[in-house]
Every structure is written in structure tokens, then in C-alpha cells.
Amino acid sequence: MNWKRVEVFLEFLIFGILIGIIEDLIAIKVATGQPITFQVFKAVFLIAIPFAFLGEIVVDKIDFVEIMKRIFKKNVPVSRIEN
């Protein structure tokens, strides 16, 4: 097991949870105007954990640069090919 990879995964997971909580609390406050209580914080925390985990798993497994290269390589305009 590569401990450095696990360390990076956990750092991004924790950062993802914190950012997810902050953005959800801001959205709730702006959208509803209601005060942020412990119950609201608890619900946001419990919702943020699985999304942060799934986000880390998906981001680690998908090579977005390779996908973008394939998409744009297929969609090259004819005028660019002729030059």
C-alpha cells in the first residue's frame, strides 16, 4: 500500500468535506435566510461526507485530460486539417 497516496487522498477528502460544508451552509443561509443551528450543521455534515468521498474516488479514477484530448482530437475542424 502506498502511504503517500493514502495521505493525499485523506487530505483531499477532508478538504472536500470542509469546503462542502461551508458551501452548503452559505447556500442554506442565502436561499432560506434561516439561522444555522446545530441540527442544520449536522445534516449538512452528514450529507457532505458521502459526496466528498465519491468525488475523491471519481476524480482519482478518471483522467480528464485524456478524455478532453480524445474529444477535441475527433472534433478538429476541416479547415484546420487542410492547412
Side-chain angles (χ1 to χ4, degrees), residues 3 20 23 26 37-38 41 44 48 50-51 55-56 63 71-72 78:
W3 288 107
E23 69 181 357
I26 291 170
T37 64
F38 180 71
F41 180 82
V44 166
F51 281 102
E56 284 305 309
D63 186 1
I71 289 171
F72 287 114
V78 175

Side-chain angles (χ1 to χ4, degrees), residues 76-83:
V76 175
V78 175
S79 62
R80 288 187 65 198
I81 296 173
E82 292 174 358
N83 292 333

Side-chain angles (χ1 to χ4, degrees), residues 53-78:
F53 182 77
L54 288 173
E56 284 305 309
I57 296 297
V58 169
V59 169
D60 283 347
K61 298 295 180 192
I62 296 175
D63 186 1
F64 290 104
V65 174
E66 184 62 33
I67 292 171
M68 295 305 285
K69 283 181 185 177
R70 289 183 184 183
I71 289 171
F72 287 114
K73 195 174 194 179
K74 290 179 183 177
N75 295 329
V76 175
V78 175

Side-chain angles (χ1 to χ4, degrees), residues 10-70:
L10 291 175
E11 286 174 1
F12 279 109
L13 180 64
I14 291 168
F15 183 72
I17 291 171
L18 289 176
I19 294 300
I21 290 171
I22 292 168
E23 69 181 357
D24 289 348
L25 290 174
I26 291 170
I28 289 170
K29 184 65 176 174
V30 170
T32 66
Q34 296 296 316
I36 304 300
T37 64
F38 180 71
Q39 294 296 327
V40 171
F41 180 82
K42 187 169 68 172
V44 166
F45 178 77
L46 293 174
I47 291 169
I49 291 174
F51 281 102
F53 182 77
L54 288 173
E56 284 305 309
I57 296 297
V58 169
V59 169
D60 283 347
K61 298 295 180 192
I62 296 175
D63 186 1
F64 290 104
V65 174
E66 184 62 33
I67 292 171
M68 295 305 285
K69 283 181 185 177
R70 289 183 184 183

